[in-house]
Amino acid sequence: MPERSKKPLVLIVEDEPLLRLFAVDMIEDAGFETVEAANSIEAVKILESRPDIRIVFTDVDMPHGMDGIRLAACIRDRWPPIKIIITSGKPLPNRVSIPAQTVFFPKPFRQDRVIETLKDMAA
């Protein structure tokens, strides 16, 4: 079983390895611990085994299973206390609604705003 840190734990869900690495670096530099998933299937498996995850940072467009919007809805249904940040290089369609306690950041996002939101969510 992984050692539990006192730092808030953020699950990063991003299929592009370089973008995932960028997100890990940004979030760890802000004082958080991270765990990574390359798609929503991996993310759900991690969430099932890690009750200490406080925040999920996910992209919208992902292969293999649910996109980030569906993943956020799944998280809200199964793990209501977890806060969610969704990012995308495309605007969200008007008909798409994101779950409660979820924040959307269009790419390219301002790192300081994402970090501020993460800190607010972890407080």
Side-chain angles (χ1 to χ4, degrees):
M1 182 171 236
E3 183 179 321
R4 303 297 190 233
S5 170
K6 293 191 188 307
K7 295 179 182 179
L9 183 60
V10 179
L11 171 59
I12 298 169
V13 189
E14 171 62 66
D15 62 304
E16 293 292 334
L18 288 176
L19 293 176
R20 190 169 59 244
L21 179 62
F22 169 78
V24 166
D25 287 346
M26 174 186 71
I27 293 169
E28 287 181 350
D29 287 349
F32 294 84
E33 185 177 335
T34 62
V35 62
E36 305 171 42
N39 58 55
S40 58
I41 295 167
E42 284 182 20
V44 169
K45 287 180 183 175
I46 291 167
L47 286 162
E48 289 172 342
S49 68
R50 296 293 304 258
D52 54 335
I53 292 173
R54 305 256 315 269
I55 302 167
V56 172
F57 181 89
T58 184
D59 187 33
V60 170
D61 294 321
M62 286 183 291
H64 312 300
M66 299 178 275
D67 65 16
I69 302 293
R70 285 188 181 153
L71 175 61
C74 173
I75 292 166
R76 187 56 55 240
D77 288 343
R78 293 184 64 186
W79 300 280
I82 293 177
K83 307 290 193 277
I84 305 162
I85 294 177
I86 297 174
T87 66
S88 180
K90 303 173 191 170
L92 289 179
N94 290 336
R95 69 185 185 285
V96 171
S97 63
I98 59 175
Q101 296 180 315
T102 302
V103 176
F104 175 75
F105 284 99
K107 292 178 185 174
F109 49 76
R110 285 189 42 189
Q111 290 185 41
D112 60 332
R113 289 199 178 154
V114 172
I115 291 165
E116 180 181 328
T117 299
L118 285 164
K119 289 180 177 180
D120 288 345
M121 289 178 160

